[in-house]
Amino acid sequence: MALLVSSWSNGVQSVPQDYIMPPEKRPGDFVTVCKDIPVINLQNDRSEIVQQILKACQEFGLFQVINHGVSEEMMADIRVLYDEFFNMPIEDKLSVYSENFGKGCTLYTSGLNYAKEDVHFWKDTLKHGCHPLEEHSPSWPDKPARYREEVGRYVVEVRKMGFKILDMIGEGLGLTEGYFAGVSQEQSMAINHYPPCPDPSLAMGIGGHTDPNLITFLQQDQYGLQIQKDGKWMGIDPIPNAFVVNLGYLLKIISNEKLKSVEHRGVTNSIASRTSIVTFFGPNPGLPIIIEPAKKIVTSSSPQIFKSIQYNDFIANYLALLRKPGPRNGTPLDPYRL
Ligand code: OGA
Ligand code: NI
């Protein structure tokens, strides 16, 4: 428990040695905010939205959505809930704490394997499955007392939004209706908590990565998220009550690289803690799912770029690569390119 950044960082005057990133992995002096990220209003005309989403996925692999159906009240309540959760005394968090990222509901710190990391990330994360609700909610924290009820309601609303957007992406790509229903059985959440850091230029909240799932929805109200665009890191401006939507690797494969999957990271700040509430949709790792470019997209003028992949193999490779100490060689997709 002593490992959680939030348990020891309050008031520290300098960044401990094992949180100082090597120079090439530090946030850099000056990162501009990307002003071109599309903001899509889900209350507009559907055919218009489908085109906007498609364009955003082709150009950025990321966009923000507003008027998405998850109420402002629900978003505000969940924010308060997670502030309360991370501010609880250590004893109240013990039931979900683990020294490593693991299966089920876990509160862990930094990356996937703390003990093997050369340098740690300045973050604590609570992570758990969400769907089906009855299966997962008994493993969720029982404090604050309203956790299961409130998060249970949030999960359902985010799911509706998630499938609506996946359907529209499918429509934009010309796929059969409901195409993604077969690939997106799993819904899970990671709530990342980044306490204030005495020197944000030395540390990193979460290092550069691309999500290994289909699609991710991120609720935030403070700056910290950055994307890699044309070889440069750029900031994402938080918009009140919006979700940041970013595509995972699997959509890049399924779309035969017609859509992008953006590399992103999270930086810290010295003034206030930041919490991001993140929902992931993707295949159920327990099922033998094959991921491959959709047949309808592969044509003689757009030949298949990726091999068919067993999702479990893909995820095992991805995790092995993330866990590997030292500089990364290649991306998890490299072995699957034809
Ligand atoms: C993630 C992620 C970014 C953030 O959890 O996959 O990219 O801002 N989080 O917390
Ligand atoms: Ni991510």
Side-chain angles (χ1 to χ4, degrees):
M1 199 65 159
L3 296 178
L4 289 179
V5 185
S6 50
S7 72
W8 55 261
S9 63
N10 192 6
V12 292
Q13 298 296 311
S14 60
V15 178
Q17 199 60 38
D18 53 347
Y19 283 81
I20 299 182
M21 287 284 147
E24 71 282 6
K25 289 192 176 167
R26 291 181 195 165
D29 296 334
F30 187 71
V31 169
T32 45
V33 163
C34 189
K35 295 278 181 214
D36 314 325
I37 298 296
V39 179
I40 298 175
N41 182 344
L42 285 198
Q43 267 171 10
N44 285 350
D45 172 63
R46 183 178 165 103
S47 58
E48 193 185 315
I49 311 172
V50 170
Q51 289 316 312
Q52 287 174 343
I53 291 184
L54 190 68
K55 191 158 177 273
C57 294
Q58 288 165 336
E59 281 177 21
F60 294 92
L62 179 140
F63 54 95
Q64 305 213 45
V65 279
I66 54 172
N67 295 323
H68 37 61
V70 184
S71 74
E72 287 183 14
E73 193 189 357
M74 184 175 264
M75 292 180 84
D77 286 350
I78 203 102
R79 192 154 53 228
V80 172
L81 177 82
Y82 283 117
D83 278 346
E84 249 175 74
F85 175 82
F86 282 103
N87 283 322
M88 287 189 315
I90 278 174
E91 311 80 77
D92 290 340
K93 296 179 191 149
L94 266 182
S95 64
V96 283
Y97 176 72
S98 155
E99 297 227 330
N100 267 318
F101 164 91
K103 286 202 182 334
C105 179
T106 349
L107 172 65
Y108 65 100
T109 194
S110 188
L112 301 181
N113 193 340
Y114 183 93
K116 293 214 172 125
E117 292 168 356
D118 296 331
V119 186
H120 308 300
F121 294 123
W122 196 270
K123 90 169 165 65
D124 299 327
T125 297
L126 174 68
K127 173 212 116 246
H128 60 61
C130 297
H131 185 82
L133 205 51
E134 318 76 67
E135 203 176 286
H136 291 281
S137 65
S139 72
W140 296 355
D142 51 7
K143 283 181 188 156
R146 63 187 191 285
Y147 189 101
R148 293 177 189 175
E149 195 201 323
E150 204 168 304
V151 178
R153 277 188 271 124
Y154 181 82
V155 158
V156 171
E157 294 307 307
V158 173
R159 189 171 184 84
K160 284 186 205 153
M161 164 180 68
F163 275 78
K164 204 190 256 176
I165 289 177
L166 276 175
D167 271 352
M168 289 196 275
I169 292 175
E171 192 176 323
L173 287 170
L175 302 178
T176 17
E177 209 184 319
Y179 182 91
F180 291 112
V183 209
S184 50
Q185 310 89 340
E186 191 174 76
Q187 177 179 355
S188 60
M189 282 173 88
I191 304 87
N192 302 308
H193 181 71
Y194 308 92
C197 174
D199 189 346
S201 71
L202 298 177
M204 188 52 77
I206 183 169
H209 67 282
T210 310
D211 296 343
N213 56 334
L214 269 184
I215 193 164
T216 303
F217 291 81
L218 182 140
Q219 177 183 338
Q220 60 173 350
D221 52 354
Q222 272 211 62
Y223 175 70
L225 182 65
Q226 299 180 342
I227 60 166
Q228 174 115 106
K229 178 89 178 94
D230 306 325
K232 279 204 304 245
W233 286 105
M234 301 194 86
I236 303 293
D237 236 349
I239 300 175
N241 301 306
F243 278 89
V244 177
V245 185
N246 78 269
L247 306 190
Y249 267 127
L250 303 187
L251 261 172
K252 181 162 158 169
I253 299 174
I254 290 170
S255 71
N256 207 29
E257 220 167 29
K258 293 215 165 4
L259 307 183
K260 286 195 174 139
S261 169
V262 74
E263 186 170 355
H264 53 281
R265 68 182 188 183
V267 298
T268 64
N269 77 80
S270 59
I271 298 158
S273 62
R274 169 173 179 263
T275 300
S276 61
I277 305 163
V278 191
T279 299
F280 305 97
F281 291 95
N284 179 337
L287 297 177
I289 295 258
I290 304 270
I291 303 292
E292 59 189 1
K295 298 274 184 286
K296 277 203 158 173
I297 296 178
V298 176
T299 59
S300 52
S301 57
S302 167
Q304 185 166 345
I305 294 174
F306 300 105
K307 298 177 201 166
S308 299
I309 305 167
Q310 268 287 350
Y311 175 65
N312 280 335
D313 292 344
F314 169 76
I315 226 47
N317 268 326
Y318 178 91
L319 295 179
L321 205 73
L322 273 192
R323 285 193 167 107
K324 217 159 103 184
R328 265 185 243 163
N329 262 329
T331 77
L333 276 190
D334 291 343
Y336 303 115
R337 271 183 200 279
L338 280 167

